[in-house]
């Protein structure tokens, strides 16, 4: 199973005695490295699949990892815990709900349910929803939870009248959830931490179950995810974190890229492996990316490289406005069509949904078929 790996990927797979940080640049084969590492633990190190926990950030990534592992280890994949942080948190709650004061049939509220609760509280308190926007307050409560901040702790930061009202709503929101035997999405991370802090013996049991912990996209972990990981890995310290501080884009969701930068402070004997060979892009693209990334003030030094050749140069066009931008894109599409490229092989990527409107209007004018 090691034959298809490069030297650095092999080094990451073969090191299994203590904390390991894999800094994996974009397109450097991190999923392949992670899945091979798990398979190596099972096949070569004879680690029971029950003792392995792999955390990814999306259900799609978890499914992809399971599918890849099935091809190597077969039905052993069913004994592995491969899940997102929230799914894993839910698993812990389902196994220990009574210790946290919940009934077996506790309800998980989605973000719309949470918003409904916040709206009702604002209405009951006779506050103007135009001033105290329910969505903004719901988001603030979520941020507080991701930063491990209770209503009492938030009160210390509540200086303005608006913030004092937010604290009041947050308090009532928590009371209402407990009374209704409900948890929200953020509680799926918070409550397992509370559970382990209140029940040290239970934490020991779970530490002995999950002797090997692997975390993907570590740069996107928030405070609660960071603490949960640290608690579980404290005893055996066989923790592997994979990530890239330069790819952290979720600060608006509470992600703290400094978790990856602080890994060596948390684990003094940590081994660091850099995956710098990119299998996805040509060197022109990587040189441009490296030149952008090197301006980050706090970063892990790495230099992406590829053996895929120089490739086409990057074309950069500065448009006068969004209309000019759309027309430029359409001109380029027509050039490709004239070279016998098919419509289905052309994609336009945009940053926000609002940007598609002008593009669609210009496409309709030119009678170009498209699918959003």
């Amino acid at each position: 199973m090691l034959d298809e790996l490069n030297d650095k990927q092999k080094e990451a797979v073969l090191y299994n005695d203590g904390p390991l940080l894999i800094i994996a640049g974009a397109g450097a084969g991190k999923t392949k490295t992670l899945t091979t590492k798990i398979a190596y633990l099972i096949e070569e190190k004879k680690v029971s699949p029950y003792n392995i926990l792999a955390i990814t950030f999306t259900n799609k990534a978890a499914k992809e990892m399971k599918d890849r592992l099935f091809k190597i280890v077969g039905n052993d994949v069913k004994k592995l815990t491969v899940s997102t942080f929230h799914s894993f948190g839910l698993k812990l709650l389902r196994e220990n709900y009574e210790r946290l004061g919940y009934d077996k049939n506790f309800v998980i509220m989605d973000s719309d349910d949470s918003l409904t609760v916040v709206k009702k509280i604002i209405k009951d308190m006779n506050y103007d929803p135009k001033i105290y926007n329910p969505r903004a307050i719901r988001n603030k409560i979520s941020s507080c939870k991701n930063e491990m901040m209770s209503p009492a702790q938030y009160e210390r930061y509540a200086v303005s009248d608006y913030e004092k009202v937010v604290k009041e709503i947050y308090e009532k929101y928590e009371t209402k959830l407990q009374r209704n035997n409900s948890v929200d999405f953020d509680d799926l991370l918070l409550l397992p931490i509370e559970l382990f802090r209140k029940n040290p013996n239970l934490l020991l049991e779970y530490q002995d179950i999950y002797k090997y912990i692997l975390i993907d996209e570590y740069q996107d972990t928030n405070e609660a995810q960071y603490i949960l990981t640290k608690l579980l890995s404290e005893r055996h310290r066989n923790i592997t974190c994979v990530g890239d501080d330069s790819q952290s884009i979720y600060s608006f969701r509470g992600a703290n890229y400094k978790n990856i930068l602080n890994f060596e402070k948390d684990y003094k004997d940590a081994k660091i492996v850099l995956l710098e060979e990119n299998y996805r892009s040509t060197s022109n693209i990587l040189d441009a990316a490296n030149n952008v990334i090197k301006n980050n003030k706090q970063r892990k030094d790495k230099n992406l490289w590829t053996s895929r050749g120089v490739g086409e140069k990057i074309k950069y066009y500065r448009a006068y406005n969004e209309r000019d931008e759309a027309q430029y894109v359409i001109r380029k599409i027509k050039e490709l069509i004239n070279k016998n490229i098919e419509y289905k092989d052309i994609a336009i990527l945009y940053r926000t949904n609002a940007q598609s409107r002008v593009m669609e209007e210009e496409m309709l004018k030119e009678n170009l078929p498209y699918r959003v």
Side-chain angles (χ1 to χ4, degrees):
M1 68 176 81
L2 301 175
D3 290 347
E4 292 177 22
L5 304 181
N6 66 36
D7 289 345
K8 285 292 176 184
Q9 290 171 332
K10 264 184 211 166
E11 190 182 340
V13 167
L14 295 172
Y15 184 81
N16 293 296
D17 301 308
L20 169 67
L21 176 63
I22 304 170
I23 303 286
K30 68 181 173 72
T31 307
K32 187 178 193 174
T33 306
L34 265 185
T35 48
T36 308
K37 190 173 180 67
I38 293 167
Y40 183 82
L41 285 170
I42 296 167
E43 301 276 308
E44 301 296 326
K45 301 282 280 183
K46 304 302 175 197
V47 173
S48 165
Y50 291 113
N51 295 139
I52 298 171
L53 167 65
I55 301 274
T56 65
F57 261 76
T58 63
N59 290 317
K60 187 184 171 194
K63 185 183 181 306
E64 185 191 343
M65 191 177 278
K66 280 181 180 171
D67 290 346
R68 286 199 193 193
L69 279 164
F70 180 74
K71 288 173 185 169
I72 313 173
V73 299
N75 283 328
D76 271 349
V77 77
K78 292 175 184 171
K79 303 169 192 170
L80 280 164
T81 304
V82 182
S83 76
T84 63
F85 270 108
H86 289 90
S87 299
F88 179 62
L90 177 57
K91 179 181 186 289
L92 294 175
L93 290 189
R94 287 212 164 114
E95 289 168 359
N96 303 282
Y97 58 88
E98 72 290 343
R99 290 179 190 254
L100 289 159
Y102 290 92
D103 294 337
K104 187 179 182 179
N105 57 343
F106 66 88
V107 176
I108 303 150
M109 302 196 311
D110 63 19
S111 55
D112 288 343
D113 298 328
S114 300
L115 188 59
T116 304
V117 172
V118 170
K119 279 178 181 171
K120 189 169 186 334
I121 293 168
I122 290 169
K123 189 181 176 188
D124 292 347
M125 292 171 78
N126 291 320
Y127 285 122
D128 184 350
K130 285 177 186 162
I131 298 168
Y132 298 98
N133 181 294
R135 197 175 291 276
I137 291 173
R138 193 269 322 264
N139 291 345
K140 185 65 198 170
I141 291 170
S142 177
S143 296
C144 285
K145 288 191 171 195
N146 283 323
E147 288 170 32
M148 307 285 298
M149 205 183 287
S150 66
Q153 288 165 320
Y154 177 66
E155 189 172 17
R156 283 184 255 162
Y157 301 94
V159 180
S160 66
D161 290 341
Y162 178 86
E163 288 167 327
K164 285 172 183 168
V165 170
V166 171
K167 179 254 167 188
E168 229 180 312
I169 294 167
Y170 185 8
E171 251 173 0
K172 289 183 186 296
Y173 174 84
E174 288 293 85
T175 305
K176 205 169 187 68
L177 258 62
Q178 282 165 347
R179 201 178 292 145
N180 294 344
N181 194 36
S182 302
V183 298
D184 66 18
F185 202 55
D186 300 308
D187 288 330
L188 299 181
L189 299 176
L190 281 190
L191 291 172
I193 294 169
E194 187 186 318
L195 176 74
F196 288 147
R197 283 179 169 167
K198 285 181 178 172
N199 303 277
N201 288 336
L202 183 70
L203 173 59
L204 284 176
E205 284 176 34
Y206 277 101
Q207 285 172 338
D208 271 344
I209 294 171
Y210 302 115
K211 289 175 180 160
Y212 289 85
I213 299 171
L214 303 96
I215 315 277
D216 195 8
E217 307 290 9
Y218 193 60
Q219 76 278 355
D220 291 330
T221 50
N222 60 30
E223 189 66 14
Q225 291 161 338
Y226 166 76
I227 290 170
L228 183 58
T229 304
K230 212 160 180 298
L231 284 169
L232 279 169
S233 63
E234 233 160 17
R235 191 169 185 196
H236 295 284
R237 302 179 79 257
N238 292 318
I239 179 166
T240 296
C241 292
V242 185
D244 180 2
D245 51 300
S246 303
Q247 292 185 64
S248 181
I249 57 168
Y250 289 118
S251 56
F252 68 92
R253 286 204 314 222
N256 184 0
Y257 71 94
K258 288 184 180 173
N259 289 345
I260 204 166
L261 296 173
N262 290 335
F263 190 85
E264 290 158 274
K265 289 180 190 168
D266 293 333
Y267 305 97
K268 301 282 188 229
D269 55 339
K271 182 177 175 67
I272 313 293
V273 175
L274 297 179
L275 301 186
E276 296 172 301
E277 182 175 359
N278 178 293
Y279 292 93
R280 191 182 295 158
S281 306
T282 56
S283 61
N284 268 331
I285 290 171
L286 295 184
D287 290 345
N290 285 331
N291 278 308
V292 173
I293 289 165
K294 74 180 183 190
N295 294 294
N296 292 347
K297 288 184 174 69
Q298 289 180 294
R299 57 185 283 266
K300 289 269 182 197
D301 280 332
K302 66 181 173 305
N303 197 48
L304 298 179
W305 63 276
T306 184
S307 56
R308 294 195 61 191
V310 176
E312 286 185 44
K313 285 189 174 178
I314 295 168
K315 294 182 181 72
Y316 169 70
Y317 179 76
R318 181 175 288 189
Y320 295 113
N321 54 35
E322 69 272 31
R323 197 77 49 190
D324 179 35
E325 180 183 49
Q327 286 161 2
Y328 171 78
V329 170
I330 285 167
R331 283 199 302 277
K332 289 290 156 193
I333 289 171
K334 285 182 173 177
E335 284 173 23
L336 291 169
I337 298 302
N338 288 336
K339 291 176 186 170
N340 293 322
I341 304 286
E342 293 186 54
Y343 286 119
K344 67 180 177 64
D345 294 326
I346 301 169
I348 301 169
L349 305 181
Y350 46 84
R351 198 71 182 143
T352 62
N353 289 327
Q355 286 176 282
S356 76
R357 185 177 172 177
V358 175
M359 199 66 75
E360 289 184 71
E361 285 171 0
E362 294 301 318
M363 292 247 186
L364 289 167
K365 277 185 205 168
E366 297 291 331
N367 206 20
L368 288 180
Y370 68 87
R371 193 172 66 218
V372 177

